[in-house]
């Protein structure tokens, strides 16, 4: 890009270990999340942020994606590592479930001491 701006585009891919919320069995989850970030000097961000918050344009069946506001370059340093890590964390399913897991509620027999049987 120009004017001190640059773009980071790619994918975050990972395989993480989690626990199924239904069976409590260990499981692996694959993450494949796209990354598309623009970094800009702080003085350029207000104008670019106004542009990026416009409604998305729809033409027929295709919706044009307007990017998020740019991230600042502060003292010549960008925070791309932190933003990529954030993308990974946000992609993690907080309630992972194995594909074949089925929840079956626990059925308890009534307590004979408190249950009155008809006579």
């Amino acid at each position: 890009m120009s004017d001190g701006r640059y773009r980071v585009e790619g994918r975050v891919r990972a395989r993480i270990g989690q626990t199924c919320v239904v069976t409590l069995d260990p499981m692996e989850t694959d993450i494949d999340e796209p990354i598309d970030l623009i970094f800009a000097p702080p003085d350029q961000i207000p104008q670019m942020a106004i542009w990026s918050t416009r409604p998305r344009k729809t033409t027929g069946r295709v919706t044009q994606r307007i990017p998020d506001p740019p991230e600042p370059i502060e003292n010549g340093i960008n925070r791309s590592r932190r933003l990529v890590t954030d993308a990974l964390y946000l992609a993690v399913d907080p309630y992972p479930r194995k594909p074949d897991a089925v929840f079956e509620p626990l059925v308890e027999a009534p307590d004979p001491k408190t249950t009155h049987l008809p006579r």
Side-chain angles (χ1 to χ4, degrees):
M1 299 191 87
S2 61
D3 300 328
R5 295 176 290 180
Y6 64 95
R7 184 177 189 172
V8 176
E9 188 175 7
R11 302 192 81 73
V12 174
R13 292 184 179 153
R15 177 170 288 161
I16 61 172
Q18 293 187 282
T19 301
C20 174
V21 296
V22 176
T23 65
L24 301 180
D25 292 335
M27 60 182 278
E28 290 185 337
T29 303
D30 290 323
I31 294 175
D32 185 3
E33 196 69 21
I35 297 283
D36 189 359
L37 302 168
I38 295 175
F39 289 88
D43 60 328
Q44 296 179 16
I45 291 177
Q47 180 182 1
M48 295 176 74
I50 291 169
W51 177 81
S52 67
T53 57
R54 292 185 306 181
R56 289 172 168 74
K57 297 178 185 176
T58 304
T59 55
R61 298 179 133 194
V62 178
T63 300
Q64 179 183 356
R65 183 183 179 281
I66 296 180
D68 293 330
E71 296 293 329
I73 300 170
E74 297 171 349
N75 299 321
I77 300 172
N78 70 59
R79 301 180 328 200
S80 59
R81 286 188 213 168
R82 185 188 65 77
L83 295 169
V84 169
T85 303
D86 288 351
L88 173 65
Y89 290 152
L90 290 171
V92 173
D93 184 354
Y95 303 103
R97 185 177 192 162
K98 292 175 100 174
D100 57 345
V102 177
F103 177 74
E104 295 178 16
L106 180 63
V107 177
E108 294 185 30
D111 185 1
K113 295 177 185 175
T114 60
T115 305
H116 300 289
L117 300 175
R119 292 186 172 187

